Amino acid sequence: MKILRAFKTELDLNKVQQTICACHAGAARFAYNWGLARKIEAYQAGQKVPTAIDLHRELNVLKQGELAWMYAVSKCAPQEALRNLDQAYAHFFRRVKEKQAGKNVKVGFPRFKSKKNGLGSFRLTGAIHIFENAIQLPRLGRLRLKERGYLPTRGVHVLSATVSERARRWFVSVQVEMEIPDPQPAGKSAAGVDLGIVRLATVSDGGGIDNPRALKQGLTRIKRLQRQLSRRQTGSANGKKAALRLAKAHSRVVNIRKNALHQATSWLAKTKSAVVLEDLNVNGMLKNHHLAQAIADVGLYEFRRQMSYKGGWYGCEVLIADRFYPSSKRCSGCGQVKPALLLNEREYHCGYCGLVIDRDLNAAINLEQLLYA
Ligand SMILES: [Zn+2]
């Protein structure tokens, strides 16, 4: 089976390479913002809104004059940024349609990109070669990788590479097409999976995955750094240092979380024939201040997203329970539903059949039982 997959890893750049990458990211951001302004302008003037192809043609003309500095970067960077802009427009129109159809979505018009959130990213296509410890990109040449052997060197067709910066570290994500063995659902069992705060995932067969301890430590550190930053004067040298420390701690927590989610979803997709997940109303839950952090941590959307595509790779069907299915309040022993369950009740006690069971396990079993309902 042929699949599309992305591999992301850190680059080990020297000062010159960092500058060139920053230039490319700058050109991509410029093209995106310029294109967005052109689209808005055309719309307001009642003209046809230009597409990425139109804009790229226009930009090439400008490059011969005022935008001559763009010759210093690969033509892919602005071109791909304009493609991203078209994508952002397409998503916007899709959300508008969903809203009109009565769905509860935020429409959100594409926004201008600012340097406030780092230097950004750029995508390159064309001749990309992967080596054990380096990647060769058009215009940038051979760039060293921090981790040896993570990127696939054989049996893959490389479609594109995206270089991005975060908290002064540079990363490359390569999009590849590769052949994997056809999924083998035989011999695997189905399970319900409860995603939670205490444990990352609880499985109905009694298994589960804990949240990494480093995540909690990372969060404590972020809170401390946030307090520190708030005491510093904005724009001062010490303020900037504190902001960078905070950004670094933040990106560390994001990585730990992502890693844990990837491990959990890979394991489930490989070992289960089907999983049933809860459909949490994340919008509603995020309003609850206390829960917000925890929900964000667990990354429910990310979990479900990974589960869906990995399910396809490994032959695991992913089912989402109805939003009103009372997976927490229902007794998995007798099916009685409690009118209410407090968040701090870690154990489920059933008043009808006397079952006493871990709260999350009860929910996971209820989810599994949906398969047989
Ligand atoms: Zn019961």
Side-chain angles (χ1 to χ4, degrees):
M1 179 172 70
K2 240 186 201 141
I3 59 161
L4 285 180
R5 202 184 152 172
F7 292 86
K8 187 172 177 178
T9 192
E10 191 172 355
L11 289 164
D12 184 11
L13 303 181
N14 62 32
K15 282 268 160 356
V16 176
Q17 290 167 335
Q18 284 177 21
T19 310
I20 300 172
C21 283
C23 274
H24 276 77
R29 186 176 51 246
F30 175 87
Y32 189 97
N33 288 341
W34 170 81
L36 181 54
R38 281 286 296 113
K39 276 180 188 271
I40 294 170
E41 195 183 277
Y43 175 77
Q44 285 171 345
Q47 295 160 349
K48 176 186 172 280
V49 175
T51 65
I53 298 165
D54 303 330
L55 290 169
H56 189 235
R57 213 172 284 144
E58 234 180 279
L59 199 65
N60 276 340
V61 176
L62 290 174
K63 260 166 85 171
Q64 287 157 22
E66 52 181 307
L67 297 183
W69 60 269
M70 267 206 183
Y71 281 115
V73 302
S74 161
K75 66 177 192 319
C76 285
Q79 191 173 2
E80 294 292 316
L82 292 172
R83 266 195 205 142
N84 285 350
L85 175 62
D86 268 15
Q87 275 286 317
Y89 256 71
H91 289 317
F92 164 69
F93 286 118
R94 192 202 65 224
R95 290 192 299 265
V96 168
K97 263 193 197 148
E98 283 175 359
K99 183 109 193 166
Q100 282 166 348
K103 261 199 182 173
N104 178 25
V105 287
K106 267 198 196 141
V107 171
F109 187 74
R111 277 197 269 179
F112 288 96
K113 289 190 189 291
S114 103
K115 249 169 96 171
K116 219 171 65 188
N117 301 318
L119 298 173
S121 66
F122 61 93
R123 185 167 63 233
L124 301 174
T125 56
I128 297 163
H129 298 289
I130 301 173
F131 305 98
E132 245 334 80
N133 59 353
I135 183 165
Q136 186 162 344
L137 300 175
R139 274 314 261 282
L140 295 161
R142 212 171 156 127
L143 306 176
R144 282 167 55 118
L145 303 171
K146 285 230 164 134
E147 195 180 350
R148 259 187 104 85
Y150 175 68
L151 297 183
T153 48
R154 253 174 286 174
V156 295
H157 171 52
V158 182
L159 302 171
S160 67
T162 303
V163 177
S164 60
E165 186 260 5
R166 185 171 201 145
R168 306 233 174 130
R169 289 161 77 190
W170 288 92
F171 300 87
V172 64
S173 173
V174 275
Q175 180 82 27
V176 303
E177 196 179 52
M178 63 195 283
E179 188 72 37
I180 61 161
D182 282 337
Q184 304 281 338
K188 301 200 285 189
S189 59
V193 179
D194 179 71
L195 301 176
I197 295 155
V198 182
R199 300 191 87 186
L200 196 155
T202 305
V203 185
S204 54
D205 60 13
I209 300 139
D210 287 324
N211 271 312
R213 207 173 301 158
L215 192 66
K216 210 174 167 198
Q217 289 165 355
L219 288 172
T220 317
R221 187 173 151 76
I222 284 180
K223 273 189 200 139
R224 202 180 64 233
L225 291 171
Q226 269 168 343
R227 275 197 306 272
Q228 255 175 33
L229 179 62
S230 67
R231 285 195 298 265
R232 304 273 188 270
Q233 214 160 16
T234 340
S236 71
N238 278 329
K240 275 181 193 156
K241 260 189 244 166
L244 180 62
R245 267 201 300 274
L246 178 61
K248 278 186 172 163
H250 218 268
S251 101
R252 197 175 120 77
V253 161
V254 168
N255 286 340
I256 293 169
R257 188 174 83 193
K258 259 212 176 135
N259 212 348
L261 286 174
H262 270 299
Q263 277 180 7
T265 51
S266 288
W267 174 66
L268 285 168
K270 282 178 187 168
T271 57
K272 307 290 173 218
S273 60
V275 294
V276 189
L277 304 175
E278 201 172 354
D279 185 10
L280 289 170
N281 177 7
V282 177
N283 282 337
M285 291 187 93
L286 286 175
K287 280 185 195 122
N288 182 334
H289 222 70
H290 223 59
L291 259 179
Q293 175 129 49
I295 295 292
D297 282 345
V298 177
L300 298 170
Y301 276 130
E302 181 60 15
F303 192 96
R304 196 187 300 176
R305 189 186 71 81
Q306 290 180 11
M307 227 27 251
S308 315
Y309 74 74
K310 290 183 186 178
W313 296 354
Y314 301 116
C316 171
E317 202 180 341
V318 179
L319 303 149
I320 309 292
D322 183 274
R323 187 183 299 183
F324 302 104
Y325 182 61
S327 59
S328 300
K329 293 181 196 155
R330 182 180 183 272
C331 168
S332 59
C334 68
Q336 281 290 338
V337 177
K338 280 192 185 189
L341 189 70
L342 294 172
L343 264 172
N344 59 9
E345 280 180 58
R346 295 308 315 155
E347 258 181 357
Y348 186 98
H349 293 255
C350 179
Y352 289 89
C353 70
L355 178 75
V356 178
I357 184 173
D358 175 78
R359 172 205 181 96
D360 298 338
L361 181 58
N362 182 58
I365 295 173
N366 277 325
L367 288 166
E368 186 192 341
Q369 285 175 355
L370 273 179
L371 284 168
Y372 323 115

